[in-house]
């Protein structure tokens, strides 16, 4: 059934077992609802309805999941209209249909399950309506059925957040009728179906209305929801359209609500935000692929890990392991640093418990997985070790020499450096093939970007194991070639420089911050500087200036540091702060300091348009990203977008740095950069690759790195 499966294998099977018709969807990898799957489900239901031997039916998925939703690749393209909707066929069936869920029931998958008369799930199953995360809304009746089943507020929470709900919570909410052991889901589903075959009337979610009364008790709930998402959802339509649909569910008959859902879905499907978010979805899956690594590479199992260095970074990395159930040893030669590090970890977890995002028992479990140790000998047996000591080459090399001396031969040796040469680090060992960079972002236990840096001698196994390790601890692993700053930071550095230079030329921190927040960043770059501390890069700048007489420093930032304005921690930085409050307040003193330094240095100051601010910051990074690709240090432009989305707060609904640049057009980006090159000199030298793309009319986001291998 459902024609276009691979080879002769049907996408949907229908078998009768013990009086129950079993409809099995078999469209690997995630049983997405391709047209053939929808047709197959329809045919199967009609068969089951027509067969007197069939008393009830079960809808289930083969492989690892129930149904992960509509086929996202088909959005934005013309689709054949189905002769009948599966939701209507399931819901209208005169024999009970039971959805038996394992793995994921997401989007259209859950919507089909909601159209069934009963739902059972295995304990590990997850359900959700994550459409909003790809810029659309549940378009298969989800916005109308879910509120009828679990209430308006609970449905709104699920649909507007798009979160995955675990089976147990789904049962409490009323989405799932029963949780079954899942030892043999098919037989458990048959047993459940046999129990309900005689029950009439069939429970149809579309006919339920009791839960909709919530709106009468709390008519302001929709407005309150809009207000609560205003900051996060700015510049986006989908979350608001989701709320509008649920509001319709509260006040309109089912069919009218469905019509509204359909209209608003159609409005969103081809919106800019939906296109960008779909791009981001696939880019995040593509980034995992390193094309030259053999698919069948046997990877060592990493069961135990160690982190060297119990500072903020090392502690965060240790937490990343513990958060995903890995035992990890945290080693530091200094008992004081170790004790402080463990305290910091404990406090961070305790804060999550206080906020209600972590259960005390879970905190205890995670803490128990982190074992502080004082000597390298105690980690010798670990499968992988991540060095997270001070970012200075001699210190790193000393650590790697020690690791080389103690670690078992098969151990993988990773360095959490954000910029240093992996080859030089590896040269401190006699096994450079086992060394690679694994660059965590700050805070390591929160940020998802995870750069895996390949040295010239890194073996395929070491590289592939690092990519997998990142994924195993919930990160998004991305390949980076060995160069100063690797891919993420290197592409970001020009942004930071232009940010500082624009202030010299006449822009003000609050203008730059406002432009970037309006663009979609959660906070502006100067506010971020104040959060992380202005002194962080002060030393680096001084060091670089001492080593290179042509080095272009940032005298205004330096002056702030010298005046003790280190950011939030001193109550003053680019802004000032009231005691105990992190809200940045524009400070005329900063304006005066800027004017004074500009005067001393003879900077010409002028006004900037908001557009110029945005373009100066982002075009500089687009140019650098092109140079990175040109040098073969990144595999794809879309990998850089993934890093920006998950490492630098770039607004997801704008796709990423390179995707956004395409919305302006490579030619215009190139022309602007070329004109700034004339005006500002060498730092704006346009990348050759950018010029080529501009001339050919191609898309930056589709550029592949010119890998030299
Ligand atoms: N459509 C098309 N392809 C999909 C897909 C989908 N809905 N879901 C996953 N895939 C593909 C991925 O691109 C990937 O392909 P690749 O191997 O070629 O890179 C492959 O399936 C495996 O996916 P993951 O690597 O993401 O596998 P995981 O096991 O890590 O995660 C998942 C599984 C949680 C199901 C995750 O894939 C996911 O979140 N999928 C999207 C779910 C979703 O958004 N559903 C709603 C769709 S919209 C909808 O249903 C509209 C309806 O309301 C009308």
């Amino acid at each position: 059934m459902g024609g276009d499966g691979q080879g002769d294998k049907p996408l949907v099977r229908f078998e009768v077992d013990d009086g129950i018709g079993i409809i099995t969807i078999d469209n690997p990898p995630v049983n997405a609802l391709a047209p053939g799957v929808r047709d197959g489900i329809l045919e199967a239901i009609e068969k089951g309805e027509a067969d007197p031997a069939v008393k009830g039916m079960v809808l289930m998925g083969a492989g690892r999941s129930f149904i992960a939703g509509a086929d996202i690749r088909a959005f934005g393209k013309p689709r054949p209209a189905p002769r009948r909707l599966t939701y209507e066929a399931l819901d209208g069936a005169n024999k009970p249909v039971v959805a038996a869920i394992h793995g994921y029931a997401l989007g259209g998958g859950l919507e089909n399950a909601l159209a069934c008369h009963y739902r059972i799930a295995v304990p590990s199953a997850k359900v959700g309506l994550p459409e909003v995360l790809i810029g659309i809304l549940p378009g298969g009746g989800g916005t109308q059925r879910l509120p009828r089943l679990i209430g308006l507020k609970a449905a709104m929470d699920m649909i507007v957040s798009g979160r995955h709900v675990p089976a147990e919570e789904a049962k409490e909410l009323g989405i799932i009728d029963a949780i079954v052991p899942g030892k043999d889901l098919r037989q458990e589903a048959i047993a459940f179906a046999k129990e309900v075959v005689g029950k009439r009337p069939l429970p149809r979610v579309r006919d339920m209305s009791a839960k909709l009364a919530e709106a009468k008790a709390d008519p302001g709930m929709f407005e309150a929801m809009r207000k609560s998402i205003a900051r996060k959802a700015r510049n986006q339509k989908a979350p608001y359209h989701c709320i509008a649909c649920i509001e319709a569910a509260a006040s309109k008959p089912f069919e009218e609500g469905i019509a509204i859902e359909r209209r608003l879905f159609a409005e969103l499907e081809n919106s800019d935000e939906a296109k960008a978010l779909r791009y981001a979805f696939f880019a995040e899956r593509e980034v995992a692929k390193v094309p030259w690594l053999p698919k069948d590479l046997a990877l060592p199992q990493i069961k135990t890990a160690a982190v060297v260095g119990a500072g903020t970074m090392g502690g965060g990395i240790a937490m990343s392991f513990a958060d995903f159930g890995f035992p990890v040893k945290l080693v530091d030669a200094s008992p004081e640093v170790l004790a402080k590090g463990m305290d910091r970890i404990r406090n961070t977890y305790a804060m999550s418990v206080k906020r209600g995002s972590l259960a005390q028992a879970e905190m205890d479990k995670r803490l128990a997985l982190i074992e502080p140790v004082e000597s390298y000998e105690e980690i010798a047996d670990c499968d992988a070790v991540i060095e997270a000591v001070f970012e200075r080459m001699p210190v790193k090399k000393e650590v790697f020499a020690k690791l080389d001396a103690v670690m078992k031969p098969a151990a993988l040796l990773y360095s959490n450096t954000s910029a240093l040469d992996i080859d030089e680090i590896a040269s401190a060992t006699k096994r450079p093939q086992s060394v690679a960079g694994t660059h965590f972002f700050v805070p390591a236990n929160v940020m998802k970007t995870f750069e895996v840096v390949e040295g010239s001698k890194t073996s395929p196994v070491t590289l592939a194991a690092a990519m997998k390790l990142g994924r195993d601890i919930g990160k998004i692993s991305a390949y980076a070639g060995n160069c100063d700053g690797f891919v993420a930071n290197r592409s970001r550095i020009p942004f930071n420089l232009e940010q500082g230079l624009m202030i010299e030329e006449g822009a003000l921190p609050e203008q730059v911050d406002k432009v970037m927040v309006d663009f979609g960043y959660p906070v502006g770059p100067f506010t971020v500087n104040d959060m992380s501390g202005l002194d962080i890069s002060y030393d680096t700048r001084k060091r670089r200036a001492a080593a290179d007489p042509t080095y272009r420093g940032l005298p205004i930032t330096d002056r702030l540091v010298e005046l003790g304005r280190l950011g939030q921690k001193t109550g003053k930085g680019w802004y000032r702060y009231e005691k105990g409050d992190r809200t940045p307040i524009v400070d005329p003193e900063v304006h005066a300091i800027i004017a004074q330094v500009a005067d001393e240095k003879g900077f010409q100051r002028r006004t900037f348009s908001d557009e110029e601010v945005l373009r100066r910051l982002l075009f500089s990074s687009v140019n650098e990203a092109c140079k990175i690709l040109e040098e073969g240090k990144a595999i794809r432009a879309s990998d850089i977008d993934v890093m920006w989305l998950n490492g630098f707060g770039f607004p997801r609904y704008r796709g990423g740095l390179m995707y956004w640049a395409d919305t302006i057009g490579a030619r215009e980006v190139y022309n602007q950069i070329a004109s700034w090159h004339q005006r500002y000199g060498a730092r704006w030298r346009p990348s050759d690759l950018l010029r080529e793309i501009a001339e050919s009319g191609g898309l930056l986001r589709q550029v592949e790195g010119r890998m030299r291998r």
Side-chain angles (χ1 to χ4, degrees):
M1 280 178 196
D4 40 21
Q6 284 167 345
D8 290 337
K9 216 169 152 210
L11 292 171
V12 179
R13 295 191 296 274
F14 183 75
E15 296 134 327
V16 182
D17 188 343
D18 208 5
I20 303 298
I22 311 288
I23 308 168
T24 310
I25 298 146
D26 192 0
N27 183 26
V30 292
N31 292 333
L33 292 164
V37 172
R38 292 172 203 261
D39 292 348
I41 296 175
L42 277 179
E43 271 179 53
I45 299 166
E46 286 162 2
K47 229 179 186 173
E49 283 275 84
D51 184 348
V54 172
K55 306 291 177 217
M57 286 176 266
V58 167
L59 179 68
M60 62 189 298
R64 62 192 217 209
S65 244
F66 178 69
I67 304 170
D71 183 352
I72 302 173
R73 287 183 205 277
F75 286 133
K77 298 176 191 144
R79 286 191 296 277
R83 71 181 160 83
R84 193 180 169 205
L85 292 169
T86 54
Y87 316 105
E88 285 170 8
L90 288 164
D91 177 286
N94 290 311
K95 298 173 184 174
V97 189
V98 180
I101 300 169
H102 77 297
Y104 292 97
L106 299 176
L110 179 59
E111 289 174 301
N112 273 296
L114 292 173
C116 294
H117 307 112
Y118 300 95
R119 287 152 295 281
I120 62 170
V122 306
S124 58
K126 291 202 169 114
V127 305
L129 293 174
E131 285 86 344
V132 73
L133 304 177
I134 48 168
I136 54 172
L137 53 79
T143 67
Q144 304 305 300
R145 284 194 179 87
L146 193 62
R148 284 175 165 77
L149 188 62
I150 67 171
L152 294 157
K153 268 197 190 140
M156 198 148 59
D157 160 61
M158 264 181 75
I159 293 173
V160 174
S161 71
R163 73 188 174 95
H164 296 176
V165 175
E168 194 148 324
E169 188 190 345
K171 166 92 171 39
E172 275 163 31
L173 284 168
I175 300 174
I176 301 295
D177 298 298
I179 295 192
V180 294
K183 290 204 173 68
D184 184 344
L185 182 56
R186 180 176 160 129
Q187 287 311 316
E188 289 158 11
I190 291 174
F192 186 94
K194 283 170 75 175
E195 258 176 48
V196 297
V197 282
K199 287 197 181 158
R200 291 296 182 277
L202 291 172
R204 293 192 169 95
V205 177
R206 56 177 292 159
D207 298 333
M208 299 174 182
S209 59
K211 298 262 166 116
L212 301 180
E214 258 180 42
K216 286 208 179 67
D218 183 4
M221 71 165 83
F222 303 105
E223 211 36 50
M225 188 67 177
R226 284 188 191 99
K227 275 210 182 105
S228 78
I229 62 165
R231 214 180 120 75
K232 235 176 128 191
R234 68 186 182 285
N235 302 334
Q236 294 170 76
K237 274 195 287 194
Y240 294 100
H241 277 20
C242 288
I243 299 174
C245 287
I246 300 161
E247 206 168 5
S251 58
K252 305 215 182 311
F254 181 79
E255 289 302 341
E256 261 181 65
I258 288 284
I260 290 171
E261 180 190 273
R262 212 163 282 161
R263 179 169 58 75
L264 294 181
F265 180 92
E267 227 180 77
L268 291 175
E269 184 179 340
N270 275 320
S271 65
D272 289 343
E273 76 192 64
K275 284 188 210 156
L277 289 167
R278 283 201 288 273
Y279 163 82
F281 176 84
F282 288 113
E284 281 176 354
R285 272 132 194 101
E286 213 44 33
V287 72
K289 298 167 191 163
V290 179
W292 60 86
L293 287 178
K295 293 225 166 12
D296 50 0
L297 206 58
L299 295 184
Q301 279 227 342
I302 300 178
K303 288 200 189 118
T304 52
V307 178
V308 181
T312 313
M313 201 68 207
I317 297 173
M319 289 170 77
S320 304
F321 280 97
D323 291 352
F324 282 78
F326 285 94
V328 58
K329 290 183 178 176
L330 183 61
V331 62
D332 205 298
S334 151
E336 294 80 43
V337 175
L338 201 53
K340 241 171 128 180
M342 287 306 291
D343 276 348
R344 203 180 299 113
I345 292 172
R346 217 169 284 119
N347 291 340
T348 312
Y349 279 141
M351 218 126 79
S352 304
V353 171
K354 207 168 147 200
R355 266 194 315 234
S357 56
L358 186 73
Q360 181 66 47
E362 186 56 35
M363 164 172 164
D364 298 343
K365 209 165 99 193
R366 292 182 192 185
L367 268 178
L369 287 169
I370 307 176
E371 183 190 346
V373 297
E374 284 172 30
S375 79
Y376 281 50
E377 282 70 25
E378 289 170 84
I379 63 167
D381 232 16
C382 288
D383 302 316
V385 51
I386 295 183
E387 161 279 309
V389 299
F390 202 60
E391 189 75 347
R392 288 261 170 85
M393 186 55 89
V395 187
K396 301 264 188 204
K397 282 174 88 168
E398 200 185 311
V399 169
F400 270 79
K402 278 197 210 159
L403 290 175
D404 191 32
V406 300
M407 297 303 295
K408 66 179 178 186
L412 299 157
L413 312 182
Y414 297 134
S415 170
N416 172 59
T417 170
S418 58
L420 299 178
D421 181 355
I422 287 297
D423 286 337
E424 196 178 339
I425 295 175
S427 74
T429 73
K430 285 187 272 319
R431 38 175 142 169
Q433 73 283 357
S434 303
V435 179
T438 49
H439 174 208
F440 288 77
F441 281 51
V442 187
N445 54 319
V446 176
M447 300 301 286
K448 290 205 139 196
T449 293
F450 180 78
E451 253 180 318
V452 176
V453 188
E454 184 189 33
S456 58
K457 295 194 176 139
T458 304
S459 75
V461 165
T462 304
L463 177 65
M467 295 290 290
K468 179 168 183 307
L469 174 65
R471 287 194 296 276
D472 287 347
I473 55 172
K475 309 290 181 200
I476 301 182
S477 304
Y479 171 91
N482 188 21
C483 58
D484 191 8
F486 312 130
V487 174
N489 282 348
R490 180 175 159 189
S491 63
R492 169 67 196 221
I493 285 166
F495 175 120
N496 296 347
L497 179 63
E498 293 309 316
Q499 175 193 337
L501 295 182
M502 275 194 293
I503 297 300
E504 296 178 2
E505 290 170 46
L508 288 173
E510 54 272 25
Q511 181 194 6
V512 175
D513 276 0
K514 181 169 185 315
V515 169
M516 299 318 278
V517 170
D518 287 349
F519 178 72
Y521 275 88
V523 275
F526 286 102
T527 307
V528 172
N529 286 167
D530 273 0
M531 285 154 81
S532 42
L534 269 60
D535 48 332
I536 281 192
S537 41
Y538 180 81
D539 282 347
T540 316
R541 276 198 301 280
K542 290 286 157 203
R543 223 177 21 247
R544 287 199 171 157
D548 173 8
T550 65
Y551 177 73
R552 176 69 169 85
L554 293 173
I556 296 177
T557 319
D558 289 348
R559 181 68 56 87
L560 292 178
V561 175
E562 284 148 15
L563 289 169
R565 301 189 68 114
L566 306 186
Q568 280 186 6
K569 59 186 168 190
T570 56
K572 284 175 173 182
W574 288 106
Y575 299 94
R576 68 177 182 83
Y577 299 85
E578 298 288 353
K579 218 175 160 58
D581 190 352
R582 290 176 178 184
T583 317
I585 303 166
V586 173
D587 189 352
E589 256 183 49
V590 171
H591 296 177
I593 295 166
I594 293 173
Q596 193 186 341
V597 179
D599 220 32
E600 287 167 19
K601 301 273 177 192
F603 298 144
Q604 294 293 316
R605 291 176 57 76
R606 63 183 172 91
T607 53
F608 277 78
S609 73
D610 289 354
E611 192 189 24
E612 188 179 357
V613 168
L614 181 71
R615 291 184 170 202
R616 269 279 291 271
L617 293 181
L618 294 181
F619 283 9
S620 67
S621 284
V622 172
N623 197 30
E624 191 64 30
C626 289
K627 290 178 185 173
I628 291 170
L629 290 158
E630 201 175 293
E631 290 171 26
K633 301 298 181 191
I635 298 175
R636 328 164 178 85
S638 61
D639 290 2
I640 301 177
D641 282 345
V642 171
M643 294 182 196
W644 275 63
L645 293 178
N646 296 286
F648 299 139
F650 193 93
R652 197 175 169 83
Y653 57 86
R654 294 196 193 273
L657 180 70
M658 303 298 261
Y659 183 95
W660 169 80
D662 279 333
T663 64
I664 295 185
R667 179 168 292 276
E668 193 174 331
V669 175
Y670 172 77
N671 288 344
Q672 180 64 76
I673 288 175
S675 105
W676 280 335
H677 184 214
Q678 298 286 318
R679 179 167 171 182
Y680 296 113
R683 71 176 199 273
W684 281 97
R685 180 186 65 75
S687 130
D688 293 336
L689 190 146
L690 172 61
R691 195 194 62 244
E692 283 169 34
I693 302 296
E695 284 169 357
S696 70
L699 291 171
L700 288 166
R701 63 175 175 270
Q702 287 175 355
V703 169
E704 293 191 354
R706 299 190 171 160
M707 312 312 287
R708 302 199 175 114
R709 1 186 5 103

